[in-house]
Amino acid sequence: MPAPVSHTYEYPRPALTVDCVVFGLDEEDLKVLLIQRGVEPFAGRWALPGGFVRMDESLDEAARRELEEESGIRPGHLEQLFTFGTPERDPRGRVVTVAYFALVKLSAHVLRAATDAREAAWFSVWDTPKLAFDHADILNTALLRLKGKVRYQPIGFELLPPKFTLTQLQRLYEIVLERELDKRNFRKKILAMDLLEELDEVEQDVAHRAARLYRFDHKKYRQLEKAGFNFEL
């Protein structure tokens, strides 16, 4: 028989959930992962994956569990985003949510909806359906965080395949930042950081001239970061 749950005090208090904004990237678009809710409230509506935090798990554990249960995704990069606690945000009652954002490589994940999610799918961040709860606000907050952070931390590499071209890298920044970048200046700046390992490989099965492939040196970046290196694009 399980032990009774102790309560700090008798008064009503909010419930706690986690919601996750998961970004992925294809050749021309930034994507966000959404699940179609199978239960009320908002049954049939699209929403961010998430759910209630269990008594025996941390917030990070809850976020990872909900992501895997509702979509089959296990993100590499996952971080806390913000806390949303508007009293009327959830029709079930007083619910506070801790939002997370994650970055994944699209080709590395096969979506698999389960538990209370009818379906899981990728949508363009610029063209999402009407979202349940306050998830549109959460998505916008995550997008602003990504736009800012991608310029001063190399988190953008989490969206690329392990081996990529300089064109793919530049396109990543152009898609996220929503503006064109000067090719010469971009390449000069990124190569000067000496964080890309040039591989003895080129693109395969492309109609144009095959470009050189590169790989981001995570180990070298961690060493430079400890020494005070500032990544900025």
Side-chain angles (χ1 to χ4, degrees):
M1 181 176 179
V5 177
S6 60
H7 297 284
T8 307
Y9 56 91
E10 299 177 357
Y11 307 105
R13 80 288 312 268
L16 182 64
T17 62
V18 289
D19 287 301
C20 303
V21 182
V22 184
F23 291 117
L25 185 80
D26 64 17
E27 293 182 357
E28 294 298 329
D29 205 0
L30 182 64
K31 305 287 189 179
V32 63
L33 172 66
L34 299 178
I35 59 101
Q36 189 177 38
R37 290 181 58 80
V39 297
E40 295 292 353
F42 303 111
R45 287 267 293 275
W46 291 92
L48 299 171
F52 287 93
V53 178
R54 295 173 179 171
M55 295 294 289
D56 60 348
E57 64 185 354
S58 70
L59 293 174
D60 287 8
E61 289 169 343
R64 292 186 181 279
R65 173 182 56 79
E66 286 289 345
L67 265 181
E68 185 171 3
E69 286 180 356
E70 294 192 335
S71 67
I73 281 185
R74 297 180 180 181
H77 181 90
L78 179 74
E79 65 176 82
Q80 269 191 36
L81 173 66
F82 199 73
T83 301
F84 295 81
T86 304
E88 65 277 7
R89 63 173 302 275
D90 192 319
R92 291 170 294 191
R94 186 73 173 93
V95 180
V96 174
T97 193
V98 178
Y100 281 77
F101 92 90
L103 305 176
V104 300
K105 297 172 176 58
L106 284 182
S107 60
H109 298 275
V110 177
L111 297 184
R112 184 189 69 252
T115 63
D116 58 355
R118 290 182 187 172
E119 187 178 351
W122 294 103
F123 289 82
S124 167
V125 296
W126 324 118
D127 187 22
T128 60
K130 185 177 181 180
L131 301 182
F133 305 102
D134 56 352
H135 288 186
D137 293 335
I138 297 176
L139 173 57
N140 289 335
T141 301
L143 187 55
L144 289 174
R145 170 74 65 86
L146 177 62
K147 285 175 176 287
K149 200 165 187 177
V150 76
R151 300 194 59 132
Y152 65 86
Q153 283 190 10
I155 61 172
F157 292 97
E158 298 292 336
L159 296 167
L160 291 174
K163 301 174 184 180
F164 51 85
T165 67
L166 293 179
T167 298
Q168 287 176 312
L169 180 59
Q170 179 176 337
R171 188 68 186 127
L172 155 69
Y173 281 91
E174 290 178 334
I175 290 172
V176 172
L177 298 176
E178 294 186 271
R179 64 183 180 89
E180 291 186 7
L181 301 175
D182 181 79
K183 179 178 177 180
R184 181 179 178 184
N185 289 339
F186 177 83
R187 295 192 175 195
K188 181 179 179 180
K189 194 164 189 177
I190 194 68
L191 292 175
M193 294 182 185
D194 198 25
L195 290 171
L196 300 186
E197 177 186 357
E198 184 175 351
L199 304 176
D200 190 24
E201 300 177 51
V202 296
E203 291 178 291
Q204 300 295 320
D205 302 320
V206 291
H208 53 79
R209 180 181 177 183
R212 179 71 58 184
L213 292 174
Y214 291 79
R215 180 164 49 207
F216 180 71
D217 193 331
H218 291 273
K219 182 178 180 180
K220 189 171 186 178
Y221 172 71
R222 288 191 293 268
Q223 293 172 340
L224 290 173
E225 188 180 30
K226 290 180 180 178
F229 173 78
N230 182 31
F231 181 94
E232 185 175 353
L233 278 175

